[in-house]
Amino acid sequence: MELVKNIASGKYFIVVDEPDEQAIMVITPEGKVKSLERRLFGPQVSVENSFSDLDRRLTQRQLDKYGEYEAYVD
């Protein structure tokens, strides 16, 4: 799973796609899928899909939406 941290809010967003250099498709802390400007975020980081590593960074809504997304893509 790839994450980015919003520079302004400090919250983590799950990366689901990178259509180009200037945009990034993410799952917001509210569990919505949005295309946002890449410049709004810090560097992209990879994390393991273990809840112990994610529970401090992500909301349950994000994890639920990511699960739906992964099921759809597979």
Side-chain angles (χ1 to χ4, degrees):
M1 179 184 295
E2 301 291 319
L3 302 180
V4 287
K5 187 175 182 180
N6 182 274
I7 295 169
S9 71
K11 294 181 181 181
Y12 284 89
F13 291 62
I14 300 173
V15 177
V16 293
D17 195 17
E18 296 179 75
D20 58 50
E21 290 181 11
Q22 296 178 356
I24 190 167
M25 184 78 68
V26 296
I27 300 174
T28 70
E30 295 78 26
K32 298 177 181 176
V33 177
K34 291 187 174 183
S35 179
L36 298 171
E37 294 180 42
R38 181 68 183 91
R39 66 178 181 81
L40 300 174
F41 300 95
Q44 191 166 318
V45 295
S46 292
V47 296
E48 296 296 320
N49 288 335
S50 66
F51 285 102
S52 61
D53 191 30
L54 299 177
D55 60 3
R56 298 181 316 271
R57 301 179 190 184
L58 303 174
T59 67
Q60 189 60 48
R61 288 180 181 171
Q62 280 175 299
L63 295 173
D64 292 345
K65 183 59 80 173
Y66 183 72
E68 291 172 16
Y69 177 81
E70 285 293 299
Y72 180 75
V73 172
D74 290 341

